[in-house]
Amino acid sequence: MWNQLAKNWDTPGVSLGENDLKIIEMTKKYLNPGSVVLDFGCATGSIALEIAGMAYEVHGIDISSNMIEIAKSKADDRNIKNIGFARAAIFDESLGKESFDVILSLSILHLVEDSARIMDRVNQLLKPGGIFISATPCLGERTFLSVLRNIPIFLLSRMGVIPSITFFSASSLTEAITNAGFQMIEQNDLSVRPLRECFLVARKAWKAENHARSSLVVPDAHRHVVQEHKNGKVVIIAGHADETQGVKK
């Protein structure tokens, strides 16, 4: 199905619509020049390509070979060197544990068979303190208009015409993410499209005793924070980041 959709994926109104532009802007504040990013379910790479300039590396994966070929072509056309695309699932062994600072999951969680298992895998792949960013249609809101609008989607999914769909509500989606070991740090309702879409940002729990020295960016403060584990205690040094001289206290 996804291979068949690939050739028309970037038509106006499908790729980089108003919601996509909002997602890009909200995502950028969680990136820095050292960020290693994974875009899980990247499709033709439209959003991954837009954020590449804000990160050190961006890796896009998708199960559709046609989507990936289009993404690679777009990266070549734009001469973007710090991005790579591969046909792979999120459980691919080439993806190392604790390898990524940021993982994107955009319009994909409602389409996977076992979302809890996927979120556990995202947790494995993120570095301590890493950021998980998702944008997910919430089709399970129990309002009259929502239920009425979603009846055709439910029937088509049951008939196998479209992929199996999880009907998340905003609260059930948030609960699923926190149950996977994340702390919610931002929630927004993207309401441009007819179907409600929830933009959520969560941070992987930090276990200092297992990581002698790690760093993260606090987006709103624009500060670089170094967290160091010494003799059973956590030492935090904060200061403005400087690309040439490191941390200024």
Side-chain angles (χ1 to χ4, degrees):
M1 172 183 173
W2 300 114
N3 279 336
Q4 295 173 345
L5 291 173
K7 63 180 180 180
N8 296 319
W9 198 255
D10 288 338
T11 54
V14 176
S15 180
L16 288 188
E18 188 172 345
N19 268 14
D20 299 303
L21 295 175
K22 286 184 178 181
I23 289 169
I24 290 166
E25 287 307 307
M26 290 188 291
T27 296
K28 282 181 177 179
K29 68 181 180 180
Y30 293 99
L31 305 177
N32 68 79
S35 297
V36 179
V37 181
L38 175 67
D39 186 358
F40 158 53
C42 66
T44 60
S46 297
I47 290 180
L49 290 164
E50 291 298 320
I51 65 171
M54 303 289 293
Y56 178 67
E57 290 179 353
V58 177
H59 303 267
I61 61 171
D62 200 283
I63 61 173
S64 166
S65 56
N66 288 0
M67 294 278 195
I68 290 299
E69 288 307 310
I70 293 172
K72 288 179 177 179
S73 177
K74 289 160 67 174
D76 290 341
D77 290 343
R78 295 172 59 172
N79 197 32
I80 298 177
K81 301 297 186 182
N82 68 328
I83 196 165
F85 294 102
R87 182 182 180 275
I90 197 166
F91 293 99
D92 194 290
E93 293 182 357
S94 65
L95 303 174
K97 292 184 178 180
E98 298 190 354
S99 296
F100 300 99
D101 300 289
V102 178
I103 295 181
L104 308 180
S105 175
L106 307 177
S107 296
I108 190 70
L109 286 179
H110 64 304
L111 298 175
V112 299
E113 291 185 5
D114 190 342
S115 57
R117 184 167 175 253
I118 294 293
M119 285 184 269
D120 284 341
R121 175 61 169 166
V122 169
N123 194 304
Q124 290 178 354
L125 296 177
L126 279 172
K127 297 175 183 178
I131 297 294
F132 175 41
I133 299 176
S134 66
T136 307
C138 290
L139 308 176
E141 296 296 335
R142 296 186 180 277
T143 65
F144 175 76
L145 288 177
S146 178
V147 171
L148 189 64
R149 185 187 297 126
N150 293 334
I151 287 175
I153 298 174
F154 176 80
L155 293 176
L156 290 173
S157 175
R158 288 289 185 177
M159 294 167 60
V161 177
I162 60 176
S164 178
I165 292 176
T166 299
F167 283 71
F168 284 113
S169 64
S171 59
S172 66
L173 178 61
T174 300
E175 182 180 6
I177 292 175
T178 54
N179 285 345
F182 293 94
Q183 177 185 5
M184 299 302 305
I185 57 178
E186 181 177 349
Q187 301 180 49
N188 283 288
D189 185 4
L190 303 177
S191 56
V192 174
R193 293 171 181 162
L195 301 178
R196 182 183 183 187
E197 189 166 15
C198 300
F199 179 84
L200 303 178
V201 183
R203 190 184 303 281
K204 177 179 176 176
W206 192 288
K207 296 181 180 179
E209 67 274 12
N210 296 329
H211 303 275
R213 187 176 180 89
S214 301
S215 66
L216 58 92
V217 168
V218 181
D220 295 333
H222 302 292
R223 288 177 176 268
H224 189 78
V225 178
V226 176
Q227 196 169 51
E228 189 171 353
H229 182 244
K230 290 182 178 179
N231 300 323
K233 297 181 179 179
V234 174
V235 179
I236 299 178
I237 307 168
H240 290 286
D242 185 282
E243 292 183 13
T244 58
Q245 300 179 15
V247 175
K248 292 182 179 180
K249 295 183 182 178

